[in-house]
Amino acid sequence: MSRLPTPLTLADTDRQARARRRRRRGESATAWVFVAPSIAVILGLGVLPIIWSLLLSFQADDLVTPSRWVGLANYRALRQDPHFSQAVRNTLEYTALYVPLSMLLGLALALALNRRIRLVGLYRTLIFVPFVISATAQGVLFSFILDPQFGAANSVLHAIGVSPQGFLTDPGQALLVLVAISLWSGTGFCVVVYLAALQDVPSSLIEAARLDGAGRWHLLRHVVLPTLTPVNVFLLLWQIINSLQVFDLVYVTTKGGPLGSTTVIVYFIWEQAFQNFTAGYGAAAAYVLALVLLVAAAGVRALRRREPAPAEPAEPAPRVSAPREPVRLEGAAR
């Protein structure tokens, strides 16, 4: 005669619940053991320095003697400091030149390289290579090329009958030269991003516009550029943040000179903290920069949210199994 299964009692149910809780606690403990090193790095190198520098901005500290609480005195001094005002002007001028020029040049090169031409892979690689070169190496390279006495640039100018230029030693040219160096190295990133975005432009829109008689300019203005709006917003924010934080190129090439013409905000912060030993003053300047970056990011994000959502078609377009060709902005007539 078969035996009936033994019914579960309340004690058995409690034992199973306690076993599940112990198993969950063991899994949680194991997970915390794995993530603990990352959390320690984030706290030690990210959160704690941010809190410490915020407190430091309200103190007078020379990194040697005991600090003294001064409240908002550092921020009030920044408002009256002509050197800080000059650093802000230089940074804004650098940003106003570098950001739009890098995006326009990147878009133009991406449109030129987004077609089937011979050795196109080599051209794309050559344009992107300067982006992966460190700013320190770029600064050393162009310091030799643009040397007023022995540089190759003045040798070329002399050969074509142009008088020698001061370049990085001329207060009127130094910042413009830094913008040109940054364009040489930073445009490759914009080219890669725009090339990826151009591959996602629906080929059906291009073909429909061509059938309607749209030329190259109309294709670019009414089809391609509207689809690149999210990419433009991303690149605008990315390039603004990078340009406001430029430091290493200035440090290697000009040291903020000549006559302070290339002193940007980050170099001003470094100079105050580690040359003049006014760490509290430098921390206050750093938080002014952080506030500007936060406002810029919030503004671009708000601009992105105000854009109308793209209208979805009533019926999905049929998929084409053949590989897609790159978008070429050519006229309908050949």
Side-chain angles (χ1 to χ4, degrees):
M1 181 177 180
S2 61
R3 299 177 58 185
L4 295 176
T6 304
L8 292 176
T9 62
L10 183 60
D12 296 333
T13 304
D14 291 340
R15 281 195 296 270
Q16 293 177 0
R18 286 195 296 269
R20 285 195 298 269
R21 286 195 294 269
R22 284 196 300 270
R23 185 167 58 252
R24 284 197 296 267
R25 284 196 296 268
E27 293 174 353
S28 299
T30 303
W32 279 109
V33 168
F34 280 105
V35 302
S38 299
I39 294 177
V41 171
I42 293 173
L43 291 176
L45 300 180
V47 178
L48 293 181
I50 290 175
I51 298 174
W52 178 75
S53 60
L54 177 61
L55 296 176
L56 188 63
S57 67
F58 298 106
Q59 302 174 27
D61 193 336
D62 59 0
L63 299 177
V64 178
T65 59
S67 59
R68 177 171 52 89
W69 188 268
V70 295
L72 297 175
N74 287 327
Y75 293 94
R76 286 193 291 266
L78 282 175
R79 188 174 56 185
Q80 302 172 359
D81 189 350
H83 298 290
F84 180 71
S85 300
Q86 184 183 22
V88 171
R89 287 194 301 270
N90 292 337
T91 305
L92 293 179
E93 183 179 352
Y94 176 90
T95 302
L97 291 173
Y98 170 68
V99 173
L101 288 177
S102 63
M103 294 179 63
L104 289 175
L105 186 58
L107 178 59
L109 290 174
L111 290 172
L113 295 176
N114 189 45
R115 59 184 65 201
R116 290 187 176 181
I117 57 178
R118 190 177 182 183
L119 301 177
V120 65
L122 176 62
Y123 300 147
R124 294 175 180 177
T125 303
L126 292 177
I127 290 175
F128 185 72
V129 162
F131 177 73
V132 301
I133 301 176
S134 67
T136 302
Q138 297 171 26
V140 173
L141 172 64
F142 281 97
S143 294
F144 283 108
I145 294 176
L146 302 176
D147 186 270
Q149 296 181 352
F150 309 106
N154 272 333
S155 299
V156 174
L157 293 179
H158 177 72
I160 61 178
V162 179
S163 59
Q165 303 295 315
F167 296 120
L168 295 173
T169 60
D170 187 344
Q173 298 179 2
L175 189 63
L176 299 177
V177 172
L178 290 182
V179 172
I181 296 173
S182 301
L183 288 174
W184 175 79
S185 61
T187 304
F189 177 77
C190 297
V191 172
V192 171
V193 175
Y194 276 127
L195 277 173
L198 288 174
Q199 299 298 322
D200 289 335
V201 177
S203 57
S204 58
L205 295 179
I206 300 293
E207 295 301 329
R210 286 174 176 169
L211 290 176
D212 290 338
R216 182 181 303 177
W217 167 248
H218 291 88
L219 282 174
L220 177 63
R221 181 181 177 184
H222 299 291
V223 179
V224 176
L225 290 182
T227 60
L228 297 180
T229 300
V231 177
N232 289 331
V233 173
F234 163 74
L235 283 177
L236 178 63
L237 179 59
W238 179 272
Q239 297 294 77
I240 287 177
I241 292 175
N242 285 337
S243 60
L244 291 177
Q245 297 183 102
V246 62
F247 167 75
D248 36 12
L249 183 62
V250 175
Y251 179 80
V252 174
T253 55
T254 63
K255 296 289 192 300
L259 301 179
S261 60
T262 60
T263 299
V264 291
I265 294 180
V266 179
Y267 187 84
F268 176 85
I269 295 170
W270 176 86
E271 191 176 40
Q272 296 301 318
F274 301 106
Q275 279 193 337
N276 300 338
F277 295 102
T278 52
Y281 193 57
Y287 266 89
V288 171
L289 175 61
L291 180 61
V292 172
L293 292 175
L294 182 62
V295 171
V300 174
R301 185 177 180 84
L303 180 64
R304 180 70 181 90
R305 287 182 174 179
R306 290 181 58 183
E307 296 174 1
E312 297 184 356
E315 295 182 358
R319 289 185 171 272
V320 180
S321 57
R324 296 176 56 186
E325 297 184 356
V327 178
R328 295 186 291 272
L329 300 180
E330 301 175 355
R334 295 183 179 272

